[in-house]
Structures are given as structure tokens and as C-alpha cells.
Amino acid sequence: METIEYLKSPELVYKVQTFFGIKRVDSTKQASIEKTDKESFTIASKFLHYFFLFGTELGDELFYSMFIPFWFWNIDGYVGRRVVLAWAIVMYTGQGIKDIVRWPRPGYPAVRVQQKWALEYGMPSTHAMVGVSIPFSVLLFTLNRYKYTTEIGLTFAVLWCLLICVSRVYLGMHTVLDILAGLALAIILMFPLVPCVNYLDNYFLTNPMSPILILMSSILMIVYYPNSEKWTPTRGDTTMIISVTVGLHIGAWLNYQTGNMSVAELSPPYEIYWPSQYMCLCIIMRMILGLAIIALVLTTCKRVSYNWLCALLGQNPDNIKNSENSLDNKHKTFVELSCKFISCAIVGLHIVYFIPLLFRSLGIERPTFYTEI
């Protein structure tokens, strides 16, 4: 118990922060509690500061919005579908446990460098869980599919995970115990997930009823998501993750059922080649065009779905937006969760189905995109 209390203590968080150059400016405990902006602490190393900010972004929405399209459009959809499904299950589990356990973020003397996640609970660290689920699932699902040195892939995955974990303590957003619990939970989940995800991906592609099953199961997961004692953005973030996964897998199902997908001529493991200048140009064109379409689709879907849902409830959209975030505000909860689900699912569908069709018509598609069953 003493060890657990020590790992849970904000004093240990502050020791880690001071090691990397963060120091409090204020001298009293009360002032430290009240002041959480950048004036209350100093940063000794700008490089380390931005390095850890980059590290924490590897588990945030901006990273997902770039990583997922890039992987599908430029690398491997076979691996991508499995990685995203594993990520969604791991994140749903971690986010749900957060709102069941309800442990707060580190308090004094830890410095709250960022306020972005301040309303969420801290145990377990879902950033740490992402640090396991994404790089290690990429490693596991590419291990027998491509020819590369396993040691290099393992080193990359470990460093990726380590950077995310240390960044969360550096920013004062998690205790060391939060991080260790997130790592342990993700590792435990990965053992059954890897074979299950392989089975589920094949099932989702080939079953004619897959879209209905995926939609119904995902809606039930969101409806019966654990309720916390206060409103937090955790449920909305989880809805975004689940809905993107739904859209991606329905898009892959459409590709398979419409005959766009075929079995690859060669059998794995495949050689890894450096891209030529023409391939690099196509990658750049795909990313610029694809991300622009995603931004347009997301903005349009959010606006249209939000107004439609408000009209469905007979509510004014501006009143809903400006109303208080609380567990009792059922109208706002329904509208915002439904809006995120619809918008992000449509984005996922565009990433895997509509935008690749556009790439094909323009002659800039990745040659192996439709051979990754």
C-alpha cells in the first residue's frame, strides 16, 4: 500500500517535472492551487517542453486525424483496419474505467502544464494505453506481413510508448500509478485482442449483415457507456473513436461487397521499398486532397447533423450549444453525442471508400489499396 500511495502521489509527479526543468514560481500552496497558467511555473528547456508536447499529441485527436488517413491511403489497409479496431476496443475499455474509478488528476505540488484534459479523470492513463495499442499493434500485424528487422520495429514501438508516457507525467496530467495501470491494462488486453481482431476483420468484410451489426453494437456501447458523477468530455471522445472505427469498417465492407477488393497476387511477407519521386508526389497529392475533403465533410456534417438533431427535438441550436455541460442536460448530451457519431462515422466511410475511389479516378491511387483482404 505504501508503494501504491507513493506511485499515486503528486509529489512524485513534481519530482519528475523538476527533473525535466519545470519549477514553480509561487511560494505558497494556496497560490499554487489557484494559479495553473504559464505564469505559475518556469520551463528550463524549451526543447524538452515542445518535445513532450509532441509526445502527448501522439495520443490525441490531431494525431489520429493525420495518422489514420495516411496509413490507409499510403501504407496498408489490411494492417490499418486491425490497428484501428484494436485501438477502439482498448480506448473504450480505458475510458470507461476512468469514469468508473473516478480518480482525479494530480494535485499540488504537481504543476498542471496544460488544461485540455483537466475535466477528465486520470486512472488509468488512456494515453499510455494508446502508447501500447497503436505502435505495438502495428508491430504485431506487420511482423509476418513485411520483411524488416524485428529489433528495429520493437525499439521504435518502445520509444514511441515511452515518449507518450513520460510526456503525460511531465505535463502533470497523470500520476506514475495512472501510467503503470494504463500500460498493464493495455498489455493484458492485447493478448486476446490480436487473434480476435484478425477474426473480426474477416467477419466484418465478408458478412452481408456486417453494417447492421457494427452500427447496433457501437450504438449500444455509447448508450450504455459508464456514467461518472460529473460531466466530462470522456464520453464524447470515446464516441468519436468508436464512430470513426464504424465508418472505416463499413467502408471496407462496401469495397469488398461491391467487388472492388481482390486477393493480392503475391503472398506475404512483402519487401519494403523506398518510394520513388513519383510515388512521393502521389502521396503528397493524396494527403492534400484527401485531408481537404475530410475537413469539408466533417464541417458540413457537423453543421447539418447538429441542426437536424436540434430540429428533431424542437430545440434552438444556439440554445443547445450555449447551455451548460452536465449529466442532467439530456438534450445537449443526445445532440452532441449523436452529432459526433454521425460526423465521424461519415468521415471514416470517406477515408476508406469514397476518397480512394476519387484517387482511382484521378490516377493517383496506391496500387495495392484494393488487394488488402
Side-chain angles (χ1 to χ4, degrees), residues 157-363:
V158 169
L159 291 176
W160 181 321
C161 181
L162 185 64
L163 174 58
I164 293 178
C165 292
V166 176
S167 73
R168 301 306 288 159
V169 181
Y170 171 86
L171 293 172
M173 300 309 298
H174 283 291
T175 65
V176 175
L177 186 60
D178 294 343
I179 298 294
L180 294 177
L183 290 173
L185 181 58
I187 291 169
I188 291 169
L189 286 171
M190 288 297 287
F191 281 101
L193 266 184
V194 171
C196 285
V197 162
N198 275 318
Y199 170 78
L200 286 173
D201 179 71
N202 182 67
Y203 182 81
F204 289 155
L205 275 182
T206 58
N207 192 322
M209 299 296 291
S210 284
I212 296 174
L213 295 173
I214 293 170
L215 283 170
M216 292 301 297
S217 59
S218 61
I219 290 170
L220 288 173
M221 290 170 72
I222 294 166
V223 170
Y224 291 102
Y225 180 84
N227 284 325
S228 60
E229 60 186 6
K230 66 175 183 178
W231 181 91
T232 70
T234 310
R235 191 178 185 185
D237 294 342
T238 308
T239 300
M240 177 199 72
I241 293 166
I242 295 296
S243 57
V244 167
T245 306
V246 167
L248 290 170
H249 281 275
I250 291 178
W253 177 86
L254 279 172
N255 281 325
Y256 182 85
Q257 297 295 328
T258 55
N260 288 335
M261 298 184 75
S262 59
V263 179
E265 295 180 0
L266 300 176
S267 299
Y270 304 119
E271 296 283 351
I272 298 177
Y273 299 100
W274 286 104
S276 63
Q277 290 184 349
Y278 175 75
M279 292 171 65
C280 289
L281 178 62
C282 287
I283 289 172
I284 293 170
M285 292 174 65
R286 286 195 292 265
M287 290 304 295
I288 292 174
L289 179 59
L291 291 177
I293 293 171
I294 286 176
L296 178 62
V297 168
L298 183 61
T299 303
T300 304
C301 286
K302 278 185 175 180
R303 184 181 296 113
V304 172
S305 61
Y306 202 97
N307 290 336
W308 175 74
L309 290 164
C310 288
L312 192 66
L313 296 175
Q315 300 290 318
N316 185 292
D318 292 330
N319 291 341
I320 292 288
K321 284 180 183 178
N322 297 327
S323 62
E324 180 185 4
N325 287 316
S326 70
L327 296 179
D328 296 327
N329 194 345
K330 303 297 184 182
H331 282 165
K332 185 168 187 176
T333 300
F334 171 77
V335 169
E336 295 203 341
L337 290 180
S338 300
C339 179
K340 282 191 175 184
F341 184 86
I342 294 169
S343 302
C344 294
I346 291 175
V347 165
L349 184 62
H350 275 74
I351 289 173
V352 175
Y353 186 71
F354 292 112
I355 294 178
L357 286 178
L358 176 63
F359 292 159
R360 171 176 275 193
S361 67
L362 295 175

Side-chain angles (χ1 to χ4, degrees), residues 4-240:
I4 290 175
E5 289 301 319
Y6 176 70
L7 294 173
K8 186 182 175 182
S9 67
E11 288 80 10
L12 180 58
V13 175
Y14 188 55
K15 285 182 181 179
V16 174
Q17 290 180 312
T18 54
F19 177 81
F20 288 110
I22 289 183
K23 297 288 180 65
R24 281 193 173 277
V25 173
D26 46 311
S27 57
T28 66
K29 179 177 179 179
Q30 186 62 32
S32 299
I33 293 172
E34 293 175 352
K35 294 176 68 178
T36 56
D37 57 15
K38 289 190 176 182
E39 295 179 357
S40 64
F41 60 90
T42 59
I43 299 169
S45 172
K46 290 287 186 182
F47 170 78
L48 284 177
H49 181 70
Y50 288 110
F51 181 64
F52 287 129
L53 286 179
F54 167 77
T56 204
E57 286 298 326
L58 292 177
D60 201 19
E61 183 179 350
L62 178 62
F63 167 73
Y64 303 145
S65 63
M66 300 290 290
F67 173 80
I68 293 174
F70 183 87
W71 191 276
F72 276 92
W73 297 339
N74 302 307
I75 302 180
D76 191 324
Y78 173 96
V79 175
R81 295 192 305 271
R82 287 160 171 75
V83 170
V84 169
L85 188 55
W87 162 68
I89 295 171
V90 166
M91 284 296 290
Y92 183 86
T93 305
Q95 298 280 66
I97 292 175
K98 267 187 182 182
D99 283 344
I100 293 172
V101 176
R102 303 172 187 173
W103 282 10
R105 300 283 184 179
Y108 180 87
V111 179
R112 192 71 59 81
V113 178
Q114 284 189 331
Q115 293 298 314
K116 183 175 181 180
W117 302 274
L119 293 176
E120 294 184 6
Y121 295 106
M123 167 63 81
S125 167
T126 46
H127 269 76
M129 296 179 76
V130 168
V132 173
S133 64
I134 290 185
F136 284 95
S137 59
V138 167
L139 175 66
L140 291 171
F141 292 125
T142 58
L143 207 55
N144 296 318
R145 188 168 173 81
Y146 292 97
K147 296 178 182 178
Y148 66 91
T149 307
T150 306
E151 289 76 10
I152 294 176
L154 182 60
T155 301
F156 182 78
V158 169
L159 291 176
W160 181 321
C161 181
L162 185 64
L163 174 58
I164 293 178
C165 292
V166 176
S167 73
R168 301 306 288 159
V169 181
Y170 171 86
L171 293 172
M173 300 309 298
H174 283 291
T175 65
V176 175
L177 186 60
D178 294 343
I179 298 294
L180 294 177
L183 290 173
L185 181 58
I187 291 169
I188 291 169
L189 286 171
M190 288 297 287
F191 281 101
L193 266 184
V194 171
C196 285
V197 162
N198 275 318
Y199 170 78
L200 286 173
D201 179 71
N202 182 67
Y203 182 81
F204 289 155
L205 275 182
T206 58
N207 192 322
M209 299 296 291
S210 284
I212 296 174
L213 295 173
I214 293 170
L215 283 170
M216 292 301 297
S217 59
S218 61
I219 290 170
L220 288 173
M221 290 170 72
I222 294 166
V223 170
Y224 291 102
Y225 180 84
N227 284 325
S228 60
E229 60 186 6
K230 66 175 183 178
W231 181 91
T232 70
T234 310
R235 191 178 185 185
D237 294 342
T238 308
T239 300
M240 177 199 72

